């Protein structure tokens, strides 16, 4: 997902002319595993034209390869157990698992595989990849912000970042809806993806 660093206020890099990779970032090079206990994969969708419903997935496995010398060589992969969807309402979650939406009996996994990574300067990165839902694969672009790196109280090395993207759910066949009496529809087609990731080093630097 691109190696990350904090830039000083005097850093003049812009998205159009990103700075060269900081040699200190080489320390982040290696393989990392997403820690689901300290991470969130969430989404937000407009409901009844007036408010947002928020949800997340609780079960997933993900790996990152960070290249501190060349951010464009960084990669990410994640497999999400779709039945773990949670919006805080049991009936709604049960509907999401059925054929109208995810059809988890036939399509138990949602997957993401990165295809390109780019440094935009400062703490920001852009990751492009293939998102597969219900056997439909389409490209998505994620905007990322580095939140730092540290060794936790248990001696585990971590990196953290947050990100966001917008997709049209109908592009993946998630097109169920209901008309409202006053006009409009129950659920917007646009879905905002939001995530907060903590990843731990999976292999020694080397």
């Amino acid at each position: 997902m691109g190696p990350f660093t904090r830039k000083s206020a005097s850093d003049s890099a812009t998205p159009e002319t990103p700075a060269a990779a900081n040699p200190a970032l080489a320390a982040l090079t290696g393989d990392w595993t997403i820690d689901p206990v300290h991470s969130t994969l969430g989404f937000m969708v407009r409901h009844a034209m007036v408010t947002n419903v928020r949800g997340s997935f609780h079960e997933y496995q993900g790996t990152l390869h960070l290249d501190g010398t060349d951010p464009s060589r960084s990669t990410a992969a994640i497999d999400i157990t779709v039945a773990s969807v949670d919006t805080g309402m049991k009936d709604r979650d049960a509907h999401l698992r059925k054929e109208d939406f995810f059809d988890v009996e036939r399509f138990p996994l949602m997957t993401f595989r990165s295809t390109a990574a780019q440094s935009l300067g400062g703490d920001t990165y852009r990751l492009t990849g293939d998102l597969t839902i219900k056997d439909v694969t389409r490209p998505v672009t994620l905007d990322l912000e580095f939140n730092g790196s540290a060794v936790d109280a248990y001696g585990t090395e971590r990196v953290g970042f947050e990100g966001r993207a917008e997709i049209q759910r109908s592009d993946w066949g998630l097109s169920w809806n209901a008309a409202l009496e006053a006009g409009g529809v129950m659920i917007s087609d646009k879905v905002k993806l939001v995530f907060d990731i903590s990843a731990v080093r999976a292999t020694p630097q080397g």
Side-chain angles (χ1 to χ4, degrees):
M1 289 209 169
F4 315 107
T5 186
R6 292 290 184 188
K7 302 290 186 179
S8 68
S10 60
D11 194 327
S12 59
T14 67
E16 291 74 22
T17 58
N22 186 330
L25 292 178
L28 297 181
T29 298
D31 296 322
W32 302 75
T33 301
I34 295 175
D35 175 9
V37 176
H38 297 97
S39 302
T40 301
L41 298 183
F43 59 89
M44 183 168 57
V45 61
R46 184 75 71 179
H47 178 262
M49 309 294 291
V50 297
T51 190
N52 291 310
V53 168
R54 292 171 172 81
S56 61
F57 297 93
H58 294 313
E59 297 179 18
Y60 48 88
Q61 296 181 333
T63 58
L64 317 175
H65 176 75
L66 308 184
D67 190 318
T69 303
D70 183 357
S72 68
R73 297 174 61 183
S74 298
T75 60
I78 189 165
D79 296 332
I80 300 169
T81 301
V82 185
S84 70
V85 64
D86 182 4
T87 65
M89 182 178 176
K90 290 184 179 180
D91 288 346
R92 180 166 55 213
D93 296 341
H95 190 192
L96 289 172
R97 296 184 185 106
K98 293 180 179 179
E99 293 85 351
D100 284 341
F101 289 98
F102 290 115
D103 195 0
V104 300
E105 293 295 326
R106 295 177 60 203
F107 308 103
L109 290 180
M110 177 191 314
T111 65
F112 174 82
R113 298 292 185 269
S114 66
T115 56
Q118 178 185 8
S119 170
L120 301 182
D123 296 329
T124 59
Y125 296 81
R126 181 161 290 158
L127 189 70
T128 302
D130 291 330
L131 177 64
T132 300
I133 306 173
K134 297 176 70 172
D135 280 356
V136 177
T137 301
R138 296 182 65 90
V140 298
T141 298
L142 312 176
D143 290 325
L144 309 173
E145 182 175 357
F146 178 53
N147 285 338
S149 61
V151 177
D152 66 21
Y154 301 98
T156 302
E157 188 177 4
R158 294 179 177 271
V159 292
F161 57 92
E162 57 188 290
R164 59 196 178 276
E166 290 188 0
I167 64 172
Q168 304 295 120
R169 61 187 178 91
S170 59
D171 288 343
W172 284 267
L174 304 174
S175 55
W176 183 92
N177 225 322
L180 298 175
E181 183 177 347
V185 292
M186 180 71 71
I187 308 170
S188 70
D189 193 28
K190 182 173 71 174
V191 179
K192 296 180 180 179
L193 308 180
V194 291
F195 48 90
D196 195 347
I197 296 297
S198 178
V200 299
R201 189 179 286 278
T203 59
Q205 180 186 351

Short mmCIF file of all heavy atoms in Angstrom, two decimals, residues 46-50 177-188:
data_model
loop_
_atom_site.label_atom_id
_atom_site.label_comp_id
_atom_site.label_asym_id
_atom_site.label_seq_id
_atom_site.Cartn_x
_atom_site.Cartn_y
_atom_site.Cartn_z
N ARG A 46 -26.40 6.19 2.05
CA ARG A 46 -27.55 7.04 2.34
C ARG A 46 -28.82 6.20 2.40
O ARG A 46 -29.07 5.37 1.54
CB ARG A 46 -27.69 8.12 1.27
CG ARG A 46 -28.80 9.13 1.52
CD ARG A 46 -28.45 10.12 2.60
NE ARG A 46 -27.42 11.05 2.18
CZ ARG A 46 -26.96 12.03 2.95
NH1 ARG A 46 -27.44 12.20 4.17
NH2 ARG A 46 -26.02 12.83 2.51
N HIS A 47 -29.62 6.44 3.45
CA HIS A 47 -30.85 5.68 3.66
C HIS A 47 -32.05 6.63 3.67
O HIS A 47 -32.04 7.66 4.35
CB HIS A 47 -30.77 4.93 4.99
CG HIS A 47 -32.02 4.16 5.33
ND1 HIS A 47 -32.98 4.66 6.18
CD2 HIS A 47 -32.46 2.95 4.91
CE1 HIS A 47 -33.95 3.78 6.30
NE2 HIS A 47 -33.66 2.73 5.54
N ALA A 48 -33.07 6.29 2.89
CA ALA A 48 -34.31 7.06 2.82
C ALA A 48 -34.07 8.52 2.46
O ALA A 48 -34.86 9.39 2.82
CB ALA A 48 -35.08 6.96 4.14
N MET A 49 -32.97 8.78 1.78
CA MET A 49 -32.64 10.11 1.25
C MET A 49 -32.25 11.13 2.33
O MET A 49 -31.94 12.28 2.00
CB MET A 49 -33.81 10.69 0.43
CG MET A 49 -34.36 9.75 -0.63
SD MET A 49 -33.19 9.40 -1.96
CE MET A 49 -33.13 11.00 -2.78
N VAL A 50 -32.26 10.74 3.61
CA VAL A 50 -32.09 11.77 4.64
C VAL A 50 -30.99 11.45 5.66
O VAL A 50 -30.57 12.36 6.39
CB VAL A 50 -33.40 12.01 5.41
CG1 VAL A 50 -34.47 12.56 4.48
CG2 VAL A 50 -33.88 10.74 6.10
N ASN A 177 -33.49 -2.18 -4.52
CA ASN A 177 -33.93 -0.90 -3.97
C ASN A 177 -35.44 -0.92 -3.78
O ASN A 177 -36.12 -1.87 -4.21
CB ASN A 177 -33.51 0.28 -4.86
CG ASN A 177 -32.92 1.41 -4.06
OD1 ASN A 177 -33.38 1.70 -2.96
ND2 ASN A 177 -31.90 2.05 -4.60
N ALA A 178 -35.95 0.14 -3.17
CA ALA A 178 -37.40 0.30 -3.00
C ALA A 178 -37.72 1.78 -3.16
O ALA A 178 -37.00 2.64 -2.65
CB ALA A 178 -37.84 -0.20 -1.63
N ALA A 179 -38.80 2.07 -3.87
CA ALA A 179 -39.20 3.46 -4.10
C ALA A 179 -39.87 4.02 -2.84
O ALA A 179 -40.58 3.32 -2.12
CB ALA A 179 -40.15 3.55 -5.28
N LEU A 180 -39.62 5.31 -2.60
CA LEU A 180 -40.27 6.00 -1.49
C LEU A 180 -41.53 6.69 -1.98
O LEU A 180 -41.60 7.18 -3.11
CB LEU A 180 -39.31 7.04 -0.89
CG LEU A 180 -38.00 6.49 -0.30
CD1 LEU A 180 -37.11 7.64 0.15
CD2 LEU A 180 -38.28 5.54 0.85
N GLU A 181 -42.51 6.75 -1.12
CA GLU A 181 -43.80 7.34 -1.50
C GLU A 181 -43.65 8.80 -1.93
O GLU A 181 -44.33 9.26 -2.85
CB GLU A 181 -44.78 7.24 -0.32
CG GLU A 181 -46.17 7.74 -0.64
CD GLU A 181 -47.12 7.54 0.53
OE1 GLU A 181 -46.77 6.79 1.48
OE2 GLU A 181 -48.22 8.13 0.49
N ALA A 182 -42.76 9.53 -1.27
CA ALA A 182 -42.58 10.94 -1.59
C ALA A 182 -41.57 11.18 -2.72
O ALA A 182 -41.28 12.33 -3.06
CB ALA A 182 -42.12 11.70 -0.34
N GLY A 183 -41.08 10.10 -3.30
CA GLY A 183 -40.09 10.23 -4.35
C GLY A 183 -38.73 9.79 -3.88
O GLY A 183 -38.43 9.80 -2.68
N GLY A 184 -37.89 9.41 -4.81
CA GLY A 184 -36.57 8.91 -4.45
C GLY A 184 -36.61 7.44 -4.12
O GLY A 184 -37.63 6.74 -4.32
N VAL A 185 -35.47 6.93 -3.62
CA VAL A 185 -35.35 5.50 -3.33
C VAL A 185 -34.86 5.30 -1.90
O VAL A 185 -34.32 6.21 -1.26
CB VAL A 185 -34.39 4.81 -4.32
CG1 VAL A 185 -34.99 4.80 -5.72
CG2 VAL A 185 -33.02 5.50 -4.32
N MET A 186 -35.04 4.07 -1.42
CA MET A 186 -34.68 3.75 -0.05
C MET A 186 -33.18 3.82 0.20
O MET A 186 -32.72 4.31 1.23
CB MET A 186 -35.19 2.35 0.28
CG MET A 186 -34.88 1.89 1.69
SD MET A 186 -35.84 2.76 2.94
CE MET A 186 -37.46 2.05 2.63
N ILE A 187 -32.38 3.32 -0.77
CA ILE A 187 -30.93 3.19 -0.57
C ILE A 187 -30.21 3.83 -1.76
O ILE A 187 -30.52 3.53 -2.91
CB ILE A 187 -30.52 1.72 -0.46
CG1 ILE A 187 -31.35 1.00 0.60
CG2 ILE A 187 -29.04 1.61 -0.11
CD1 ILE A 187 -31.17 -0.50 0.59
N SER A 188 -29.25 4.66 -1.48
CA SER A 188 -28.49 5.29 -2.56
C SER A 188 -27.60 4.26 -3.25
O SER A 188 -27.20 3.26 -2.66
CB SER A 188 -27.63 6.43 -2.03
OG SER A 188 -26.57 5.93 -1.23
#
